[in-house]
Amino acid sequence: MTLVAGAGGLAGLLPLLGPGPAGRLWEWQWKGDFQPLWWLLGVGGLGILIVVLALWALVSLAPVVLALVGAALGIRWLAGATRRSRPDRAVQILRERYARGEIDKDEFDAKLRDLGGG
């Protein structure tokens, strides 16, 4: 591939470069078909493509992931709140028996530990 400067954008630089080896004002030639730095541009383009795809995935999938995580945590919190708000019937009966004086403090504490209520 031969590149010869014409009257285009390089016209202002030509006096600085001086005449070429064949007496022409300026000439440059690649040996081979490919520009020497095309592999670098290709790798850079691949890197940019990977970054763009990663950012796209982050931006487009982040709201979906946050909504799913939020829904799962909300359901879990609601299930735990209803479980905690329901008093255990066995512990309630044990407290009633202790309040009526049917059992003493040591027996109450032992049975409460057995039931896992305290």
Coordinates of all heavy atoms in Angstrom, one line a residue, residues 14 39 60 68 80 91 110 117:
L14 N 4.0 18.9 4.7 CA 4.9 18.4 3.7 C 6.3 19.2 3.7 O 7.3 18.6 3.6 CB 4.3 18.4 2.4 CG 3.2 17.3 2.2 CD1 2.6 17.4 0.8 CD2 3.8 16.0 2.5
W39 N -3.2 -5.5 15.1 CA -3.4 -6.5 16.1 C -3.7 -5.8 17.5 O -4.5 -6.2 18.2 CB -2.3 -7.5 16.3 CG -1.0 -6.9 16.7 CD1 0.0 -6.3 16.0 CD2 -0.6 -6.7 18.1 NE1 1.0 -5.8 16.7 CE2 0.7 -6.0 18.1 CE3 -1.1 -7.1 19.3 CZ2 1.4 -5.7 19.2 CZ3 -0.4 -6.8 20.5 CH2 0.8 -6.1 20.4
S60 N -28.5 -3.3 33.1 CA -29.8 -3.8 32.8 C -30.2 -4.9 33.7 O -31.4 -5.1 33.9 CB -29.8 -4.4 31.3 OG -28.9 -5.4 31.2
L68 N -35.5 -9.1 42.9 CA -35.6 -10.5 43.4 C -35.1 -10.6 44.8 O -35.7 -11.3 45.6 CB -34.9 -11.4 42.4 CG -35.5 -11.6 41.0 CD1 -34.6 -12.4 40.2 CD2 -36.9 -12.2 41.2
G80 N -41.1 -14.6 59.2 CA -40.6 -14.6 60.5 C -41.4 -13.8 61.5 O -41.5 -14.1 62.6
V91 N -46.0 -22.8 76.0 CA -45.4 -21.8 77.0 C -46.5 -21.0 77.6 O -46.4 -20.7 78.8 CB -44.4 -20.9 76.2 CG1 -43.9 -19.8 77.1 CG2 -43.3 -21.8 75.6
A110 N -37.4 -25.1 84.5 CA -36.9 -26.3 83.9 C -37.8 -26.7 82.7 O -37.3 -27.0 81.6 CB -36.9 -27.5 84.9
G117 N -38.5 -22.0 75.3 CA -39.2 -20.7 75.3 C -38.4 -19.7 76.2 O -38.8 -18.6 76.4

